[in-house]
Amino acid sequence: MSLLVVGLSHRSAPVSVLERASLSADAQLKLLQDTVAAEPAAEAAVLATCNRIELYADVDKFHAGVAELSTLLAQHSGVGLDELTPYLYVHYEDRAVHHLFSVACGLDSMVVGEGQVLGQIKDSLAQAQDLHTAGRLLNDLFQQSLRVGKRAHSETGIDRAGQSLVTFGLEQLAAGEDVSAWARGKKALVIGAGSMSSLAAATLARAGVAEVVVANRTFDRAERLARILTEDEGTDVPARAVPMESVPAELTRADIAVSCTGATGLVLTAEAIAAAVEGRTGAPAPATGTPDGFGEEDPSAVRALPPTSLGAEENCPLDLPAAQRSGFSVLGEAAVAGMDAATLEQHAAWVDNATVDRRTAVRRAPGTDAELITALAATAATAGRIPERRRPEQAAALVRPEPVLFLLDLAMPRDVDAAAHRLAGVRLVDIESLAEASAGAPMAADVDQVRRIVGDEVAAFGAALRAAHITPTVVALRAMAADVVAGEIARLEGRLPGLDDKHRAEITQTVKRVVDKLLHAPTVRVKQLAAEPGGAGYADALRTLFDLDPETVASVSRADDSTEKNRGPE
């Protein structure tokens, strides 16, 4: 059997695909059950976080395993296999081990070095153990990944390379300001009571917010989180729990809202957010052209400009009332865009104080206008603008209002309507904008040290795994030797019925010592050889040389697997 992982993450797929492919808790359970029921897989575990979905399995056939796991992921995520396949990655054997160890150390996280993924790996293992889908391989793999992750964080400064997704998200909301200074005195609403929401609530409380309100579909969990925050000796921030139905009302009071639930639909719609802003300011929250949530204006957005003063533009060939209604100055390039060539020519002449009589203008052939328009388009394409004879009046720049509501969406699929990015008075940071913000983040020098740790641990795990494959054979060999000793002692007693207990014990012990000494060197050496690359064949050789019963070896393996499935995560 061999380790296989099939998955997708923020590195391989756009957020829109990750969002659609996310698995609910029930879908994860069903996926695990269906995976171990499939022919190629004997064990299975699912690692599902806000930016990755991975299915781990112990398979006996690589190609069949890839096909089966990919199909199962598509079926349970609801995304078609043809659409999902381009975003999937596959790791096998040592590469699969290397991948999980890198994930555990935070090297593959959206924010390099974040440690929250360790808790998610632990939850993944516990889930597989509860369903009895994790055997020896996945138990050992996930347990070791937790140890490797802890080692990386304790022996290196990987924590300095990044921080948790919560901290990074709050830094983006603060837009360069110190988070504690920015959050101090603000009222916070936390929607959800899971690990991510709990971390957000604790982080905000320690940053000095004036209040933390926790909303959750299960009210008892919200109350428990609020009680933990209140009893935390490190803060004196009041915290209270509210039912989910109170979220719209609480949103009008909150300055910061963090949402991370397992809901499959939107928790906060753009309409609800706009109503909350209006409830705070008394004015509607108009949509703007700000798609990224960090306050920059989108130059492609079309807005109504303040009307300009036309003055006495006597004899202008343009339709002045229409131009004034559009909000453009007749002297600007936008006012003349789309006019026919004859009108453009008259306007240019009028600007140069020429006298143009529209009634006596020379009529041109039908093709002339087309030629002029083609020439004008070519000029605009080259210069990037429509030529004009006079400088346009300066239009008043519209300044985006300062945010009054800060939203952090850490859910996958998203809890907050992406349309909230375009609401004035709102700053939204979600998984997609976090991915963009972290793409160019510098990596600390400690990352190289963590990579070396991962490489060493992968080699050690591989050696231990190969050595473990021969252990059932060695155990079966020693069991066979013990049976031989027992049989010979019984035969000796038949021949020497008068043998007293003292001499019988001495003879038995002597025979056992002889057998142990004969087996010690070859069994130790075969374990060493089996741990080396290509050492899998030594188990077969041992079984052949000593004529061991394959069923006896298999029964030892099954007993070990049964023990492993009852182990809990460390």
Side-chain angles (χ1 to χ4, degrees):
M1 303 295 281
S2 300
L3 178 65
L4 175 68
V5 56
V6 177
L8 67 162
S9 72
H10 65 284
R11 295 187 183 276
S12 69
V15 172
S16 58
V17 174
L18 272 175
E19 186 176 36
R20 292 172 52 214
S22 63
L23 300 170
S24 66
D26 290 341
Q28 291 178 39
L29 298 181
K30 190 68 169 60
L31 174 59
L32 284 175
Q33 293 168 342
D34 289 351
T35 301
V36 293
E39 182 180 345
E43 304 178 31
V46 173
L47 178 57
T49 72
C50 58
N51 53 26
R52 78 177 61 253
I53 303 154
E54 296 176 344
L55 179 56
Y56 291 78
D58 185 7
V59 299
D60 57 0
K61 299 181 182 70
F62 172 73
H63 293 290
V66 171
E68 187 66 35
L69 266 59
S70 302
T71 301
L72 288 169
L73 274 175
Q75 288 176 350
H76 290 278
S77 68
V79 180
L81 183 60
D82 290 344
E83 183 179 358
L84 192 64
T85 298
Y87 305 110
L88 293 177
Y89 47 77
V90 174
H91 298 297
Y92 190 56
E93 295 189 325
D94 284 354
R95 290 303 307 169
V97 176
H98 189 281
H99 175 73
L100 182 59
F101 286 5
S102 297
V103 170
C105 294
L107 293 180
D108 198 59
S109 296
M110 186 178 295
V111 182
V112 175
E114 63 95 8
Q116 189 176 5
V117 70
L118 285 173
Q120 294 162 334
I121 292 174
K122 188 175 182 179
D123 292 342
S124 176
L125 175 58
Q127 179 188 57
Q129 289 173 336
D130 289 343
L131 291 177
H132 304 290
T133 63
R136 169 176 288 278
L137 176 61
L138 292 186
N139 267 296
D140 288 350
L141 174 69
F142 276 70
Q143 296 277 16
Q144 187 61 24
S145 72
L146 293 172
R147 288 189 283 268
V148 173
K150 291 173 184 176
R151 179 188 170 192
H153 285 278
S154 64
E155 295 184 12
T156 74
I158 189 66
D159 291 335
R160 294 193 299 268
Q163 57 281 89
S164 74
L165 207 59
V166 170
T167 306
F168 188 61
L170 291 175
E171 287 183 352
Q172 298 304 309
L173 278 184
E177 189 177 349
D178 178 72
V179 171
S180 295
W182 166 79
R184 188 169 296 113
K186 288 183 169 64
K187 296 178 180 178
L189 170 64
V190 176
I191 305 174
S195 58
M196 190 81 80
S197 299
S198 300
L199 179 59
T203 303
L204 287 167
R206 293 190 179 95
V209 294
E211 178 189 37
V212 176
V213 178
V214 182
N216 193 59
R217 296 190 186 281
T218 305
F219 186 68
D220 290 346
R221 295 190 66 187
E223 280 189 317
R224 184 164 62 250
L225 178 54
R227 185 168 59 253
I228 292 172
L229 293 172
T230 303
E231 295 171 355
D232 187 346
E233 296 180 359
T235 70
D236 56 358
V237 175
R240 56 188 176 89
V242 298
M244 286 294 287
E245 297 75 31
S246 301
V247 166
E250 294 295 338
L251 203 59
T252 63
R253 302 176 62 254
D255 302 296
I256 307 168
V258 180
S259 187
C260 187
T261 73
T264 54
L266 293 175
V267 175
L268 296 177
T269 64
E271 292 76 11
I273 296 168
V277 173
E278 184 175 356
R280 294 175 58 94
T281 63
T288 71
T290 309
D292 58 2
F294 296 106
E296 290 87 32
E297 295 291 339
D298 181 1
S300 65
V302 178
R303 305 180 185 83
L305 297 177
T308 55
S309 174
L310 298 177
E313 307 288 5
E314 187 176 0
N315 297 324
C316 177
L318 298 183
D319 185 355
L320 299 186
Q324 189 170 17
R325 283 195 301 272
S326 69
F328 293 116
S329 164
V330 296
L331 302 180
E333 61 191 32
V336 298
M339 293 290 177
D340 63 88
T343 306
L344 286 172
E345 187 177 79
Q346 292 180 59
H347 179 257
W350 172 77
V351 169
D352 282 344
N353 295 319
T355 302
V356 177
D357 187 349
R358 302 182 79 171
R359 294 169 299 179
T360 60
V362 178
R363 294 185 179 275
R364 291 179 292 276
T368 306
D369 281 352
E371 293 175 0
L372 290 172
I373 292 173
T374 301
L376 182 64
T379 303
T382 303
R385 59 196 298 276
I386 297 175
E388 57 182 325
R389 294 299 184 89
R390 292 176 60 179
R391 185 184 301 276
E393 292 183 5
Q394 184 69 33
L398 292 183
V399 179
R400 181 179 173 89
E402 286 295 317
V404 296
L405 180 59
F406 298 85
L407 302 173
L408 178 57
D409 182 7
L410 298 174
M412 183 64 69
R414 72 180 77 231
D415 279 349
V416 181
D417 193 341
H421 278 301
R422 298 190 293 273
L423 293 176
V426 174
R427 178 177 294 155
L428 168 62
V429 172
D430 54 20
I431 294 296
E432 193 162 14
S433 52
L434 282 174
E436 294 173 359
S438 64
M443 297 175 68
D446 298 278
V447 169
D448 288 337
Q449 186 178 352
V450 173
R451 284 174 174 158
R452 286 193 293 272
I453 289 175
V454 168
D456 292 343
E457 291 285 356
V458 169
F461 183 83
L465 194 63
R466 289 187 291 271
H469 283 166
I470 204 169
T471 298
T473 303
V474 172
V475 171
L477 174 61
R478 289 191 171 277
M480 185 189 74
D483 289 342
V484 170
V485 170
E488 289 302 316
I489 294 299
R491 193 160 68 90
L492 181 64
E493 289 180 347
R495 291 183 176 182
L496 301 173
L499 195 65
D500 59 53
D501 292 343
K502 178 180 179 181
H503 288 92
R504 183 187 301 107
E506 185 64 33
I507 292 171
T508 300
Q509 191 63 30
T510 299
V511 174
K512 286 183 177 179
R513 280 198 299 268
V514 170
V515 171
D516 286 342
K517 287 183 177 180
L518 288 173
L519 291 181
H520 175 73
T523 53
V524 169
R525 184 59 180 151
V526 79
K527 285 183 177 180
Q528 294 171 343
L529 294 171
E532 297 175 359
Y538 286 99
D540 294 333
L542 203 61
R543 286 193 294 270
T544 301
L545 288 171
F546 288 91
D547 195 22
L548 297 176
D549 182 7
E551 180 54 35
T552 302
V553 177
S555 65
V556 174
S557 297
R558 286 194 295 270
D560 288 344
D561 286 344
S562 177
T563 302
E564 286 296 321
K565 287 189 177 184
N566 292 324
R567 288 172 58 186
E570 295 179 351

